[in-house]
Amino acid sequence: MYAPFFGLKHEPFSIAPDPRYLFMSERHREALAHLLYGLGGGGGFVLLSGEIGTGKTTVCRLFLEQIPANCNVAYIFNPKLTVIELLQSVCDEFHIEGPARGAQPPTVKEYLDPLNAFLLREHAAGRNNVLIIDEAQNLAPEVLEQLRLLTNLETSERKLLQIILIGQPELRGMLARPELEQLAQRVIARFHLDALTETETAQYVQHRLEVAGLTQALPFEHKALARVHALSRGVPRRINLLCDRALLGAFAGGQPRVDRAIVDKAAAEVFDTPAARAAPPWRRTAAVLGLGLAAGAGLFAMASQPWKTPPPATAAAAPASAVPAKVAQAVPAAQPKLLTDQDQAWRELSTAWKLAPGDGEPCEALQREQVRCFSKNMSLALIRQLGRPGIVTLDAQGKAPSYALLTALGADSATLRAGGSEQTVTLAALATRWNGDFGTLWRAPAGYSTRASGREADASVEWLANRLATLDGKTPPAGKPALDAALRARVLAFQVAQGLPADGRPGPMTFMQLNRASGVDEPRLRTEP
């Protein structure tokens, strides 16, 4: 309903799970890493806890997507079961034929025997087995004890079943009971998923809006975002409910931005909390009109005549104190001369890398320095995630496109450089001339090539495996690693954790983020608030 009013293509705060809107905070990345660690933990329990709405199910979905092909998974989401019902559910999930139905109810042994035979058979075939139980705080004590006994199924080398428990904070209290001490001692990894911080809450809101198509200023005032965090307590589900209702309220009132009063009123409706005392109508109206006129003038000037300074009379119409700083920055006196030659754009970008490709084809020359050109149509959210300067192609639909370097990206502005001068423009102005085409440079590992084979390919894969192992705090693998299912699963996990399109194949963006995570000295995009 309100999406077109704010320049959005979709409504950004639906509580329905949608992988496009995935936002991985540092805590979510750590939670996912703990679950992935559990895959190689050799049996026992892995525990993930968190308040309602903090993203446990989202992390679990990501985990399920990244489980390697040589792993069988049983997933139980309704654990209010008896011991017999639990064993029956586990056998059903693993597609194990249970005991035949007869006059007498089946016994625990009649389920355990075929389950044990299945696990031994799969282990011999080189396959692992994982049992995931969601909402595990609802497990009865006798069922938890039976789960502990399942971890006794083992060979002389390792346990045959890895069990992951996901639940609310009371799950931790349950496992602290004296009667469950033996189970608690078998927990090999545990992680509690906290809510988002105030900074992460603002990043979360901005991320979802950008994925929904936002190309103009963020429709939330800074004080409104702080209030969203306070009222939602940083819980993503509560943030979605509150922001959705706040945008609807702003739309209904014809207001281009959400202020604190709108957030308070939205909270009263969705959380059933008393609304904060509103400012006098005349003062609130004056503030909105003042902001709307100042921001509107800047946006109009930038959108109708991008990169140009408005006439002096327009600039002098209001005192400097009445114009927001970011709007004033968006209208500098200098008028950068855009580049008309794409090769020249690559040469100008290469200077940030302290490289000089010369007069020939720049990307071929840079490749000899182990630096590669990479071009792709991508969203602002992905560009922020990559965090590196690059080339934006302007007026791509026209006969004579032009080019500029994107050097900084703020919440509602972008800084472009061309021909030795810089200018900061609003995202709305950028959107009128840019359709998402972006090019950047990255440093490739030795042996990297899309067509590499033999020793070259081995060197590239070895670099990949060593970097991933180092980031995990593990010893690099001995010998010559192969890009097998296990390494692809680790690549997939890294891609998801870095907010990249996840396919398990190590492409340029994966190597870019590996370089960044490893501290490789490369130019960075300024991401100003």
Side-chain angles (χ1 to χ4, degrees), residues 261-509:
I262 292 176
V263 172
D264 284 331
K265 185 175 180 181
E269 295 174 358
V270 297
F271 300 147
D272 195 25
T273 57
R277 192 172 183 179
W282 64 268
R283 187 179 301 169
R284 185 167 64 251
T285 303
V288 171
L289 286 175
L291 176 62
L293 288 173
L299 290 174
F300 176 79
M302 297 278 67
S304 60
Q305 289 184 318
W307 331 137
K308 294 186 179 180
T309 306
T314 304
S321 60
V323 182
K326 288 193 175 183
V327 174
Q329 290 174 359
V331 193
Q335 298 181 21
K337 182 179 179 181
L338 296 175
L339 303 173
T340 57
D341 180 8
Q342 189 175 26
D343 284 353
Q344 182 57 37
W346 286 115
R347 292 188 187 94
E348 188 161 329
L349 179 60
S350 67
T351 61
W353 290 69
K354 300 178 182 179
L355 296 171
D359 295 331
E361 208 287 322
C363 290
E364 289 184 3
L366 291 169
Q367 190 167 323
R368 290 192 289 271
E369 303 288 338
Q370 210 60 30
V371 172
R372 303 298 183 98
C373 296
F374 175 75
S375 298
K376 185 178 178 65
N377 189 279
M378 61 181 72
S379 66
L380 284 174
L382 185 53
I383 291 174
R384 285 185 199 277
Q385 193 68 22
L386 292 175
R388 56 184 56 228
I391 301 167
V392 290
T393 302
L394 306 172
D395 308 319
Q397 292 81 9
K399 294 182 179 179
S402 52
Y403 308 91
L405 302 190
L406 177 68
T407 59
L409 191 58
D412 51 15
S413 64
T415 300
L416 303 177
R417 187 175 76 222
S421 60
E422 275 194 350
Q423 181 165 5
T424 300
V425 300
T426 64
L427 295 184
L430 179 63
T432 64
R433 300 182 62 177
W434 177 64
N435 67 356
D437 289 344
F438 181 76
T440 190
L441 296 173
W442 64 285
R443 193 172 300 281
Y448 174 84
S449 172
T450 56
R451 297 182 297 275
S453 60
R455 292 182 178 179
E456 287 186 342
D458 290 343
S460 179
V461 172
E462 184 177 0
W463 184 93
L464 174 69
N466 289 345
R467 286 297 170 97
L468 288 172
T470 301
L471 292 175
D472 288 340
K474 299 179 180 179
T475 304
K480 292 183 179 181
L483 189 57
D484 54 13
L487 184 54
R488 287 185 184 277
R490 184 62 194 93
V491 170
L492 186 68
F494 178 79
Q495 290 169 334
V496 172
Q498 292 292 320
L500 302 177
D503 57 9
R505 295 193 293 269
M509 290 192 291

Side-chain angles (χ1 to χ4, degrees), residues 101-179:
R101 295 186 179 183
Q104 297 296 324
T107 64
V108 169
K109 185 177 185 303
E110 288 177 303
Y111 282 109
L112 284 180
D113 286 347
L115 175 59
N116 188 41
F118 168 81
L119 295 177
L120 285 170
R121 186 169 60 251
E122 294 300 295
H123 172 71
R127 300 177 64 84
N128 297 326
N129 302 282
V130 178
L131 170 61
I132 303 172
I133 300 182
D134 207 348
E135 301 296 340
Q137 76 279 353
N138 293 322
L139 289 167
E142 62 271 17
V143 177
L144 280 169
E145 174 61 15
Q146 181 59 62
L147 287 172
R148 182 186 71 82
L149 294 175
L150 287 181
T151 62
N152 286 338
L153 302 175
E154 59 188 358
T155 67
S156 58
E157 301 171 349
R158 60 174 294 158
K159 294 185 180 296
L160 299 175
L161 185 63
Q162 180 74 64
I163 300 177
I164 296 176
L165 302 178
I166 301 174
Q168 295 172 27
E170 51 264 38
L171 176 61
R172 294 189 298 172
M174 291 169 57
L175 299 185
R177 296 174 186 170
E179 63 269 26

Side-chain angles (χ1 to χ4, degrees), residues 69-88:
N70 68 333
C71 191
N72 300 314
V73 179
Y75 179 74
I76 296 176
F77 58 88
N78 179 23
K80 287 188 176 182
L81 305 168
T82 65
V83 170
I84 292 293
E85 289 171 338
L86 171 74
L87 293 174
Q88 182 181 8

Side-chain angles (χ1 to χ4, degrees), residues 34-35 45-49 136 163-167 171-172 175 187-192:
H34 275 71
L35 296 185
F45 291 88
V46 175
L47 175 63
L48 173 62
S49 60
I163 300 177
I164 296 176
L165 302 178
I166 301 174
L171 176 61
R172 294 189 298 172
L175 299 185
V187 176
I188 62 172
R190 63 180 72 209
F191 188 83
H192 183 71

